[in-house]
Amino acid sequence: MAGATGPAPLSPGLEERLSAVESRLAALGNALRARDAAGIDLHASELHKALAGAVNHFADAARHGPVSPALRDRLVQASGQVAAQRESLARATAALDRAMDVLLPREGAALYSIYGAADRGMYKSGVFRA
């Protein structure tokens, strides 16, 4: 019963799955820094697959006993990197959306009225509104 209290032995491929996640995270990070759109798509897709496989392997290993602290720490670090990259992408997307709104205003969103200022409806009835 010593195996029930100690860390579970490495399941075949658990170390390889985690290493694959780490290498795909690094590749995605490099593509993000290089602003390589095709690389980002490719590495994000590969990372998604690697994460799914790693999570399944970790879940299987956890059913047979605790996972070693070293591997658990590496998985936590990888999870933090995924969250940081997700946040970075969200910020970049928001900045791009703001830039696109400035450069290409949405249909019907007039910046200026025929009176030269932003039309806030104050000339519609001929009466100024406060």
Side-chain angles (χ1 to χ4, degrees), residues 19-81:
S19 292
V21 168
E22 291 167 337
S23 68
R24 283 166 176 79
L25 272 169
L28 179 58
N30 290 336
L32 286 167
R33 281 186 290 282
R35 298 180 184 195
D36 174 14
I40 291 170
D41 274 347
L42 173 69
H43 297 304
S45 176
E46 289 178 353
L47 175 60
H48 180 77
K49 291 174 190 172
L51 280 169
V55 167
N56 287 336
H57 269 67
F58 268 85
D60 289 342
R63 282 188 212 111
H64 297 97
V67 176
S68 74
L71 283 178
R72 208 174 32 239
D73 289 345
R74 284 175 58 195
L75 186 62
V76 168
Q77 273 189 324
S79 177
Q81 289 176 339

Side-chain angles (χ1 to χ4, degrees), residues 84-99:
Q85 286 180 351
R86 184 182 307 130
E87 177 67 22
S88 176
L89 283 171
R91 288 178 188 217
T93 299
L96 178 62
D97 287 346
R98 285 190 304 272

Side-chain angles (χ1 to χ4, degrees), residues 94-116:
L96 178 62
D97 287 346
R98 285 190 304 272
M100 292 302 293
D101 284 344
V102 169
L103 295 173
L104 301 168
R106 292 192 174 97
E107 190 75 26
L111 297 177
Y112 295 96
S113 71
I114 59 173
Y115 302 105

